[in-house]
Each structure stands twice: as C-alpha cells, then as structure tokens.
Amino acid sequence: MLGNGKNTFKRMGRFILIALISFVGLCSFAQYNSEPNLISRYKPGVMFHYTGLRPAEAEKAQKYDRLVFDITYNDWMGDIQAFNNRWSSIGLNTNFLFDIPLSKKGSVSLATGIRQSFFKTENLSNQFLADPSNNFTVLINSVSTLGIKKRLLCGNAIGVPFELRFRTKGWKHVKLHIGGVVGYQCNIYSKTIYNGATQIEGGLYKNYDFADINRLALSTHVRLGIRNWAIYGSYGINSLFSNRSSAELRLFQLGISVSLF
C-alpha cells in the first residue's frame, strides 16, 4: 500500500507540472498573437519574452534569461590535479533571475535572484575520509579499488547570484554574462557503490559526516552565447572545507546554459 501511495503522489506531481507548463505556454502564445510585431514561431526558448498575463509595453526593453539551467562538468582545483574526474561528474544549477535593463534597448542589464546548485564528482581513486572528532577531512589517493564500482562526492547549495549582462540588439542577440554567487552550502556527502554482493546493504554507502564544511560558498562565473544558449564557466573562490588540516579543494565547472525565458 505504501508503494502505491508513492506512485500516486508521483503521478499527481507530474500532472500538476504538465498542467502548469501548458497554462503558461498558452498564456504566452496568446500574448504573442495579440501583437503582430512579435512572431512567436521564430522566438527561441519555451517562454521567450513571456511577461505575464498582459503583453509588455512596446517602448520598454525586452527581458531575457530569467530561468536559466547550467548543465556542468565538475572538477577540482587545489590538492587534486584538474581534469582527472570522470565525464559523468555532472551537476546542475537552476537560476531564477530578475533581468533589470540599464539601457533603453536592453543591451546592458543587471540580474539577481536565487539559485539552487547540485554538484557531483566521480573519481575511483579519490577517497574522502571525514574525521568528525577532529573536524577535518582527508583526501586519500586509493590504490586498491577491489570490489568498488564508483566513488562520488556530491553537494547541494542555495545562493544569490549577481550578474552584469551585455547583449547585442534584437532577440537574435549575442550575450555575455559576468557574475558571482554568494551561497550557503547545505550539505556535502560521499557515496561509494560496490560491485556485487558485499557487507554493505544494497551495495551503496553514503557518508554525511563532514564536520568542516565551509558553509559560505563564493564563486564567480561567466556565460557567452547566442540567444538562449551559452557556454558556461564557474570557479569557486573559497575552499570546500574550512579546516586548515583538510584537503584544499575549489570547485570549478564547465558546461552549457539553457534559458527557457
């Protein structure tokens, strides 16, 4: 009965999400067709130029890049040599941003809002050992990987991004975003996946006992692209762990950004 209840809630959640997307899409379609100067079929993004239930005023600058997803490859600077993590070290940043035009045509703007971030790094040789009693984290280059399929380090954070944006005129614009994020690191955990049957139930072991997490997460980032697509890069300003005896690690990310509206 418990499993059936979970499936019911999942189906309800999917239905509600699809209904919301359909409603917003219909509103956006109606808005575009009420203005002959906006030809919606040539607009990139699911809700490009969406301004709510009423059309935007013609004399005002258009707003862009308000819901942005950064799909990233994650790696380290510091005590680990860069570009040794596996290709599957994938993360996702979800950005809800207010675009604030500073020029009449919208070629320069500011943006701020809220971000939720998830990172995952995978490297079979990197073993992170937490010492809760002494509040530090040790990085070991593990030579023996017998019986181990994957070793992951993951984390979640929330933050406030700030961006200075430059773009050429029109919706077919080239854009450059330069910014940073002041965030809060909610958690960091390691995950070990074992091959076959082991003493670990289900072949999976998670460890959340990292006592020296640096809760203040500071980073800089840049996006360069066309319309609703961009190349993305980010660099962590401070170390992942706060104890001086811990491993010195700064997260950097490379990937693509997709703007839905």
Side-chain angles (χ1 to χ4, degrees), residues 68-76 85-95 115-122 152-157 185 189 232-234 251-258:
V68 185
F69 296 97
D70 306 313
I71 305 166
T72 64
Y73 164 78
N74 305 305
D75 217 312
W76 303 112
N85 288 341
R86 294 197 62 188
W87 63 269
S88 53
S89 300
I90 303 300
L92 176 66
N93 304 324
T94 303
N95 305 271
R115 164 186 286 196
Q116 191 279 330
S117 301
F118 168 76
F119 79 82
K120 179 186 75 173
T121 61
E122 180 179 349
L152 311 171
L153 188 70
C154 310
N156 293 277
Q185 191 69 43
Y189 59 93
Y232 175 83
S234 174
L251 181 69
F252 78 90
Q253 301 177 318
L254 299 172
I256 60 172
S257 296
V258 183

Side-chain angles (χ1 to χ4, degrees), residues 201-222:
E201 184 180 352
L204 172 64
Y205 174 71
K206 286 185 178 182
N207 181 19
Y208 288 86
D209 295 330
F210 294 96
D212 62 328
I213 298 175
N214 195 343
R215 297 295 181 180
L216 179 63
L218 303 174
S219 64
T220 61
H221 65 265
V222 62

Side-chain angles (χ1 to χ4, degrees), residues 170-233:
W171 65 270
K172 294 182 179 181
H173 55 258
V174 177
K175 62 186 178 184
L176 172 65
H177 300 172
I178 301 172
V181 179
V182 179
Y184 177 80
Q185 191 69 43
C186 301
N187 62 21
I188 295 173
Y189 59 93
S190 63
K191 183 190 295 187
T192 306
I193 302 174
Y194 294 88
N195 284 316
T198 67
Q199 70 276 15
I200 306 297
E201 184 180 352
L204 172 64
Y205 174 71
K206 286 185 178 182
N207 181 19
Y208 288 86
D209 295 330
F210 294 96
D212 62 328
I213 298 175
N214 195 343
R215 297 295 181 180
L216 179 63
L218 303 174
S219 64
T220 61
H221 65 265
V222 62
R223 295 188 192 92
L224 176 63
I226 300 173
R227 300 194 299 183
N228 60 323
W229 293 91
I231 299 171
Y232 175 83

Side-chain angles (χ1 to χ4, degrees), residues 52-65:
L53 298 179
R54 293 183 299 176
E57 297 180 25
E59 66 275 8
K60 288 191 175 181
Q62 296 288 355
K63 298 180 180 180
Y64 300 90
D65 302 308

Side-chain angles (χ1 to χ4, degrees), residues 127-165:
Q127 185 176 6
F128 294 89
L129 299 178
D131 186 341
S133 59
N134 295 309
N135 295 337
F136 68 86
T137 301
V138 178
L139 169 64
I140 297 177
N141 193 334
S142 180
V143 177
S144 175
T145 58
L146 182 64
I148 297 176
K149 185 178 180 180
K150 292 182 180 181
R151 279 198 180 107
L152 311 171
L153 188 70
C154 310
N156 293 277
I158 56 173
V160 178
F162 300 92
E163 295 180 0
L164 180 60
R165 297 172 164 184

